[in-house]
Amino acid sequence: MSGAIIRKVMTGGRVTLLLVALAAVPVGGCGADVAYTRAPDRRVEVRLDEYRVLPEHIQVTAGPITFVAHNTGRLTHNLVVVQFKRPLGDEVEKQYGTPTKTLFPGETASTTVDLKPGKYRLICTISNHDNLGQYAELKVVR
């Protein structure tokens, strides 16, 4: 049996065989393919709640893209398109286009942003929502 160790363990006068598998469980996220939700008409609809942007991975064609944000949560949220990599230290995070207004629970708003091919993040800039996981990955293709 390759990649495994068999051990004898004495417990209360009985011998128990333990089988320990090595590297048998794939680790999620390590090189795994990400399934993107496609928005072929350049209209991206997302749901905002505590603390998520859904869908989490979106692919869209470059050009003017309309983002429609629905607040399905209990807190206020907004939607902003920012650079993919988080800035380090005191660097300012680059924003693209105009953020949506602050959305109260049940509200919907939209914004249109002209984007070139590349990766971006969709985030909520209210309080520390982005740090709590309220972001999505946006992949813009030709």
Side-chain angles (χ1 to χ4, degrees):
M1 181 179 264
S2 114
I5 299 172
I6 299 176
R7 290 204 173 144
K8 288 183 186 180
V9 179
M10 290 291 286
T11 55
R14 282 200 278 178
V15 176
T16 304
L17 293 178
L18 287 179
L19 175 65
V20 181
L22 301 176
V25 179
V27 178
C30 293
D33 290 332
V34 174
Y36 284 88
T37 299
R38 289 179 170 49
D41 59 354
R42 287 198 219 139
R43 180 181 170 91
V44 175
E45 296 214 22
V46 296
R47 294 183 318 276
L48 308 172
D49 67 19
E50 292 76 45
Y51 294 95
R52 301 177 301 172
V53 175
L54 297 172
E56 292 182 51
H57 301 280
I58 305 160
Q59 181 174 309
V60 66
T61 306
I65 302 161
T66 299
F67 295 92
V68 180
H70 307 280
N71 184 352
T72 59
R74 295 174 305 191
L75 303 175
T76 56
H77 299 292
N78 70 355
L79 186 71
V80 182
V81 179
V82 297
Q83 68 196 49
F84 182 69
K85 291 188 178 181
R86 290 178 180 232
L88 301 174
D90 293 335
E91 294 177 24
V92 176
E93 189 162 52
K94 182 172 181 180
Q95 291 187 6
Y96 298 88
T98 305
T100 64
K101 69 175 189 158
T102 297
L103 300 171
F104 289 91
E107 287 189 324
T108 297
S110 65
T111 186
T112 300
V113 182
D114 194 1
L115 294 173
K116 296 179 181 177
K119 281 191 177 180
Y120 303 86
R121 283 185 308 123
L122 302 178
I123 67 169
C124 175
T125 60
I126 296 174
S127 191
N128 63 341
H129 293 190
D130 180 24
N131 291 335
L132 293 172
Q134 192 169 12
Y135 59 87
E137 178 183 317
L138 178 70
K139 182 178 178 183
V140 179
V141 297
R142 293 194 184 280

